[in-house]
Amino acid sequence: MDTQFGKPFAHTLIKSGWKKRSVFFELPYWKSLYVRHFLDVMHIEKNVFESVIGTLLNIQGKSKDGLKARKDLIAMGIRTELGPLKKGKRTYLPPAAYTLSRKEKKTLCKFLSEVKVPEGYSSDIRRLVSMKDLKLKSLKTHDCHVIMEHFLPIGIRSILPEKVRSSITKLCSFFKSICSKVIDPAILQMLQKEIVITLCELEMFFPPSFFDIMVHLVVHLVKETQLCGPAYMRWMYPIERYMKILKGYVKNRSRPEGCMVERYIIEEAIEFCTEYLSNVQSIGLPKSQLVEKKEGKNLIGNKIVAVSRVERDQVHLYVLHNENEVEPYVEIHKDVLRGLNPNRNENWIVREHNRCFIPWFKDHIYSKYYSDPASITERLRCLAYGPSFHVFSYSAYAINGYTFYTKEQDDKSTMQNSGVTVVAEAMHISSVKDLNPKFANLSYFGVIERIWVFDYEKFQIPIFGCKWVENNNDIRMDKSGFLQVDLNRVGYKDESFILASQARQVFYVNDPKSTKWSIVLFSNKVIDENTGDQGDIDVEIESFTRNDQDENIISNDSYIRNDHNEGKMAIMKSIIRARGKGYLKVSIDICLDGDVPLSSSLIRVDDDAGYLKVSLYDNGTCPSKQISILSSKDKGPKI
């Protein structure tokens, strides 16, 4: 291909097909590559989500359902019961399986408008919801990513027919699986099989216009993952973020590329120089925020409060049981109790140990300290002495890479940072007469009510006072794979304190299916390396490969909603004709979601703004509306 580019040669350029061969074809290994161009998972997910939510909420310009889509069904001879119906001068579209009633739209939008996420999880989801218009607006790519994978499957739990809801949920679960940072290669083949089945199920309900090229590309994501690895290594999020940095380099807008090059070269030179200063402590530069957030840093509030002896002893006992240096002394004390009380069972030994361990440990350590000071470390001596009764109290604290709030601070904030979970060892007994209790790790969920920092003379230990959910019957995994908790059922009031270093952040969203339950979601922030497993509760949502097979999914009733008759009226073509200088007579028949059609009105042309402002009124049954019509000087006004 010998093509000359530039304005003087524009008339000689080929009008269709390829105009030049890519320079990449000159690479010697180009012909042997399995994948020459990555499919961008970020934009595929965004476009699929916009098609789904636009069709469900019937968002104008985003919906894949309309008059032409219904006529396609008639032309193809499928789902004829969804064909458009003439009602006078209007065209009525019957409710399909995916058509939401106004009440269901309110339910979905209300759920999204009440979502509060932790700091750094995503943008404020509530700002994206318009309860007036019952639609989502100003969606960024990451907003689509978060809603698609986490909130949409929850939001539709109480709406839509079960088979349609199941298909959409499996599509969301597929994107959650394919976007994971850790993927088991053994399940990729099953993922491929399941996404094909899921798309076939969606074809049974959604119109053919829904299945554009973006929905088709979903089929190829698994194969690309097998060849190229996890999606986060090659999607566009870091590229888009770095483009923002490069745009910030531009100070002279007439020479943007030169500004970027100069600033980039300067940064490269500085980074090269800093490699020779790696062992030198910089003067005046603060510590990295990430390091501070992992080690612990107070953020909001700084009050000194006095705690009671009961609370102080509860915290002190918990601290001692979670210190590695104290662990041998715990076993020594239990052995002493067993020797003094040979007829007592293990349950009694544990209770007695918790009651008298603090004074015994203090006396034991100080007796050894006085006889041999070198045998006792400074930290062990401070732990034996115990903390002060005056503690520092905060409303916000950063540790382990998370930002934690108290519940009181959460209520005043636009974010939800008070949710917490911890894995702890618990004693299990079958009854009061059980002589051999068993110990096992359990996951506990709750909200933070107090953030205290206890002073142990030489060091400080941050403590979270939490309100925990009763673990017996108030934490469950439902059949859809969602972890549910009842936040109103409080337990473990005598064991409300944990070390801040043990906390892992979660947040709760209301379950639209039941007002009693809240659904647990985990924060996507940095997790401490020492964080253990989640005990005997599988906190992760089950894999996408979990699929309830239904052989009778196709039926005549699957395509149309019988539980409501809130179809929609098709948007008819508008007629505009002149009516004197500066005036136009407009006849518009617009009616959506079952509203009555709006009558004609006189409008005046606003030449300065380039728009025609139209006030539409019905016959007293619908509030007045106003729309703008773009005018064209060449071809006349157009809607």
Side-chain angles (χ1 to χ4, degrees), residues 119-314:
E119 180 188 279
Y121 188 87
S122 70
S123 60
D124 191 355
I125 302 296
R126 299 175 299 175
R127 294 185 179 182
L128 309 175
V129 183
S130 172
M131 291 301 297
K132 180 181 178 182
D133 303 322
L134 297 181
K135 66 179 184 180
L136 303 183
K137 59 183 182 180
S138 305
L139 288 171
K140 302 294 184 184
T141 310
H142 190 260
D143 300 326
C144 297
H145 170 76
V146 171
I147 298 176
M148 179 78 170
E149 296 186 7
H150 300 286
F151 300 128
L152 183 60
I154 300 174
I156 63 175
R157 279 168 61 82
S158 61
I159 60 178
L160 288 172
E162 183 178 355
K163 295 174 182 177
V164 184
R165 182 173 65 243
S166 174
S167 300
I168 296 175
T169 301
K170 284 187 281 188
L171 179 64
C172 298
S173 299
F174 170 77
F175 277 107
K176 185 177 178 65
S177 298
I178 210 69
C179 293
S180 299
K181 288 190 175 181
V182 179
I183 300 178
D184 183 3
I187 70 168
L188 286 176
Q189 195 155 358
M190 183 63 71
L191 276 179
Q192 179 66 36
K193 177 183 176 182
E194 293 298 334
I195 188 56
V196 172
I197 295 175
T198 300
L199 292 179
C200 290
E201 290 178 359
L202 291 172
E203 280 191 85
M204 299 175 190
F205 308 114
F206 284 84
S209 58
F210 179 85
F211 299 91
D212 54 16
I213 184 62
M214 283 297 171
V215 178
H216 167 74
L217 290 177
V218 174
V219 180
H220 300 284
L221 295 181
V222 176
K223 184 66 175 177
E224 190 173 82
T225 301
Q226 288 176 321
L227 296 173
C228 307
Y232 80 96
M233 300 289 290
R234 49 193 163 79
W235 59 14
M236 288 292 291
Y237 283 111
I239 309 301
E240 298 283 356
R241 291 189 182 108
Y242 194 67
M243 286 298 295
K244 183 175 184 292
I245 295 174
L246 291 179
K247 288 179 182 178
Y249 290 169
V250 178
K251 301 302 179 184
N252 183 356
R253 295 187 179 276
S254 63
R255 300 289 186 271
E257 296 92 346
C259 293
M260 292 180 187
V261 170
E262 286 192 6
R263 290 285 296 273
Y264 186 85
I265 291 175
I266 291 172
E267 282 194 1
E268 286 264 312
I270 293 174
E271 289 181 5
F272 179 77
C273 293
T274 55
E275 291 183 4
Y276 293 93
L277 304 175
S278 58
N279 297 324
V280 179
Q281 181 68 34
S282 302
I283 299 176
L285 293 179
K287 248 199 272 188
S288 168
Q289 288 188 358
L290 183 60
V291 174
E292 288 183 342
K293 283 193 172 185
K294 281 195 172 185
E295 294 178 352
K297 178 186 178 184
N298 61 80
L299 300 176
I300 301 176
N302 188 0
K303 297 186 296 184
I304 298 178
V305 297
V307 298
S308 65
R309 177 172 291 277
V310 174
E311 291 176 324
R312 184 255 193 191
D313 288 346
Q314 284 181 2

